Amino acid sequence: MGTEGDDVRVIAGRYRLEARLGRGGMGVVWRATDQLLARRVAVKELAHDGSLSAEEARGRRDRTLREARAVAQLSHPHIIVVHDVVEDGERPCIVMELIDGGSLADRIAEHGPLDAREAARIGADLLSALRAAHTAGVLHRDIKPANVLIESATGRVVLTDFGIAQVAGATTLTETGSFVGSPEYTAPERMSGERTGPASDLWSLGALLCTALSGESPFRRDSLGGILHAVVFAEIRMPAQAAPLLPVVRGLLERDPDRRLDAAEAERMLRAFLDTGRTPAAASAEAGTAGTRHRWPGRSGYTPTHADLPRQLLASAPSSSPASDQPGRERSARGVLVAAVLVAAMAGAGVSAAALLADRGGDGGGTPSSSAPGGTRPAAPTTAPSSPAATATSQERPTAPSGYRVVDDPAGFSLAVPAGFTRASQGDRVFYLSPGETYRLGIKISAPRPGGPLAVMLRAAAAGPGTNPGYRDGRVTETTRDGRPAALWEFTWNGFSAAEGPRHTYDLCWEEDGRMYDVWVSAPVGKARTAREYFDIAVDTLVPHPRTR
């Protein structure tokens, strides 16, 4: 397991480094001997980052020592024991117990996937370890098979490599302004640069269980961009081998962290499987299941009541003309690590507003133009109107957040749009476009349609493959907007051209005072946080003018 013959070194006057056990992005792990206590130990020597200034390097070292000492306070049979934290020159070293055995990744590579019982045992032990760490305010942030050791003689499961752990209230141990972690096992909220917490570790454990059961992560793809899309958007295809533990795996791989199974409940379910051979349902109806009512993150007053309507329902939804109810919008995710790859891939020749808006269903709501792509063009973009419309009362005008401005659109509504967005139109659709048309905000007002907002969105989703090139991962969610029935449709598609690249759409439809309102935001995959903000603020601030009521 080690590389014999390396130069023997003694650090801190007592730890003799004897052979390398492994090397990773965080540093080198050595088999060593504690000469003072005459015991075998493992020493992790953190790598030197030559890109840091002397001051940054000192700050990083201080954080490492402070936070590694906090991790050393953890005492649990399934968490690696940290004996000491020392310095070798300017380089921090963590002294840990030496586990005689390989990693879970090694075991899978050598012997193939685990059976459900062994996977449940490992998962339950890891959940117990995470409960202890989270109670102490420590997040692991890099749970994956390579960081789980299995002791050869006893089968004891040990969670190791807290090297990028985060202590509550502290900056990250390795913080240099870059993403840390393993993308295939990283929770979507971390991937999109949003909040992180104990639930993010539980997502990683769900991905680990899938890997243990099937031999491969469900999010493995050929590129970082593909991994980002798989984690944040794509339908999660559970491996057949996960069937015995499916309630747990599904509950842990819930994209909304507020609905994700917690560690205690997931552990209870796995231990019940070990006792009875059957996995019980989650005790909470809201844990890890679609169909529960919860507040949709953001400022908008809409609340999903059931998500991911069955595909059979989408397929059988009554349809009118293929795109007669086509709202449209595309959502995107902002990956701290991977977005740069996607954005670079998308960068190329600009696509004009006319080309993007002409006779296409994927970038807007309602009935598209009957003209061919080369025919009728939308009006050229103009500066967004900002003076109050004569029919809008001051009491009804929304307030613009910082960086936004209120526009009183001649189509009969007011709302807040980001500063610098310009107006364009196509038939009964109004667009507000960012410079370069990266973000496209659309609004359509029309007469109510049969079945209300939910039926409209179901018909649009059913027609999605015919109106949106590469349409995928579509889902319709019944919700409300200010107490009124509404429906949210989101999907991914290939964009109008190779230069434009993949895009994702958010689209909310609701009825108000005898009219149907449709608001959507479209952006490249890789820019979700910003697109989501634009979407939430647009939905939250839209006020109809009296003449449309």
Side-chain angles (χ1 to χ4, degrees):
M1 295 272 289
T3 303
E4 302 291 351
D6 291 312
D7 292 337
V8 174
R9 294 160 48 208
V10 177
I11 63 173
R14 64 184 282 189
Y15 302 111
R16 187 176 71 241
L17 309 185
E18 297 167 345
R20 283 198 194 101
L21 295 176
R23 177 187 293 273
M26 293 295 297
V28 179
V29 178
W30 299 83
R31 187 174 69 229
T33 297
D34 180 348
Q35 297 179 122
L36 181 62
L37 299 179
R39 65 180 175 184
R40 307 302 291 273
V41 295
V43 175
K44 183 169 186 177
E45 184 180 30
L46 296 187
H48 172 70
D49 187 345
S51 67
L52 300 179
S53 67
E55 182 178 355
E56 290 170 332
R58 282 193 299 273
R60 180 175 183 264
R61 184 185 73 247
D62 292 344
R63 288 194 301 272
T64 298
L65 295 173
R66 180 176 66 250
E67 295 173 25
R69 286 171 182 139
V71 174
Q73 302 306 307
L74 299 176
S75 178
H76 191 278
H78 301 297
I79 294 178
I80 194 80
V81 175
V82 176
H83 296 308
D84 200 359
V85 182
V86 299
E87 291 184 84
D88 180 34
E90 294 291 307
R91 192 168 298 184
C93 298
I94 303 172
V95 182
M96 304 170 286
E97 68 174 316
L98 180 66
I99 303 297
D100 182 14
S103 70
L104 177 59
D106 295 333
R107 177 167 171 176
I108 295 171
E110 293 172 12
H111 303 292
L114 281 56
D115 61 34
R117 188 168 189 81
E118 180 67 354
R121 181 185 76 86
I122 291 173
D125 289 348
L126 291 176
L127 285 161
S128 177
L130 286 176
R131 289 175 64 192
H134 294 164
T135 299
V138 176
L139 309 179
H140 189 283
R141 302 201 308 153
D142 197 22
I143 294 171
K144 59 185 178 181
N147 287 339
V148 176
L149 302 179
I150 302 176
E151 197 169 48
S152 297
T154 65
R156 179 168 72 108
V157 176
V158 181
L159 181 59
T160 187
D161 205 352
F162 282 78
I164 65 169
Q166 183 176 8
V167 179
T171 53
T172 63
L173 184 149
T174 58
E175 187 169 351
T176 61
S178 61
F179 179 92
V180 289
S182 304
E184 287 180 41
Y185 298 92
T186 298
E189 64 269 19
R190 282 197 63 220
M191 199 69 100
S192 58
E194 299 173 359
R195 62 176 177 155
T196 186
S200 298
D201 280 347
L202 298 176
W203 168 283
S204 302
L205 184 57
L208 179 146
L209 284 174
C210 280
T211 302
L213 290 162
S214 67
E216 184 174 87
S217 163
F219 307 109
R220 178 164 297 176
R221 300 294 188 272
D222 293 335
S223 66
L224 289 177
I227 293 172
L228 169 66
H229 182 270
V231 169
V232 179
F233 297 128
E235 178 184 354
I236 302 173
R237 300 185 182 278
M238 301 295 177
Q241 300 93 323
L245 307 180
L246 196 57
V248 176
V249 175
R250 266 192 184 147
L252 294 173
L253 293 180
E254 163 59 53
R255 284 193 169 102
D256 182 348
D258 292 333
R259 301 172 72 205
R260 203 168 293 156
L261 273 178
D262 63 30
E265 182 65 4
E267 182 184 354
R268 180 192 73 81
M269 294 166 70
L270 289 179
R271 296 208 185 278
F273 173 82
L274 291 172
D275 290 341
T276 67
R278 299 182 62 184
T279 304
S284 168
E286 294 192 6
T289 60
T292 58
R293 188 178 183 88
H294 66 286
R295 172 77 179 178
W296 186 271
R299 288 175 287 274
S300 306
Y302 55 102
T303 308
T305 53
H306 62 272
D308 296 326
L309 294 172
R311 292 180 180 276
Q312 299 94 317
L313 182 57
L314 291 176
S316 61
S319 60
S320 51
S321 61
S324 62
D325 292 312
Q326 175 73 17
R329 255 198 276 111
E330 312 133 45
R331 164 194 174 204
S332 37
R334 177 180 181 167
V336 176
L337 170 67
V338 207
V341 178
L342 292 176
V343 172
M346 295 172 196
V351 182
S352 70
L356 292 173
L357 304 182
D359 196 28
R360 303 301 181 108
D363 204 49
T367 305
S369 166
S370 60
S371 62
T376 303
R377 301 291 195 181
T382 59
T383 302
S386 56
S387 59
T391 53
T393 67
S394 60
Q395 291 85 353
E396 293 176 322
R397 296 191 81 235
T399 301
S402 177
Y404 292 74
R405 60 175 174 164
V406 173
V407 297
D408 295 308
D409 195 277
F413 59 88
S414 299
L415 84 167
V417 302
F421 274 40
T422 54
R423 186 181 190 275
S425 63
Q426 181 197 29
D428 54 0
R429 304 180 191 182
V430 174
F431 292 89
Y432 286 90
L433 309 172
S434 69
E437 302 167 9
T438 301
Y439 301 96
R440 302 196 285 270
L441 164 64
I443 307 97
K444 180 189 173 187
I445 304 175
S446 61
R449 294 180 180 272
L454 181 60
V456 167
M457 289 302 197
L458 288 173
R459 289 192 290 267
T467 57
N468 300 88
Y471 177 90
R472 57 194 179 275
D473 305 327
R475 68 175 181 179
V476 174
T477 305
E478 187 177 14
T479 180
T480 61
R481 196 265 188 182
D482 291 339
R484 299 177 178 90
L488 175 70
W489 178 31
E490 55 177 307
F491 61 93
T492 305
W493 61 303
N494 289 344
F496 293 135
S497 68
E500 181 177 44
R503 297 180 69 86
H504 199 85
T505 297
Y506 282 136
D507 195 336
L508 189 74
C509 178
W510 74 94
E511 290 183 3
E512 182 174 349
D513 294 332
R515 306 289 283 173
M516 179 166 283
Y517 293 84
D518 185 16
V519 177
W520 64 94
V521 169
S522 157
V525 170
K527 294 186 178 291
R529 176 185 279 181
T530 303
R532 178 60 175 273
E533 177 183 312
Y534 294 165
F535 175 68
D536 284 340
I537 290 177
V539 170
D540 197 44
T541 61
L542 188 143
V543 175
H545 292 171
R547 66 188 177 196
T548 66
R549 296 181 174 178

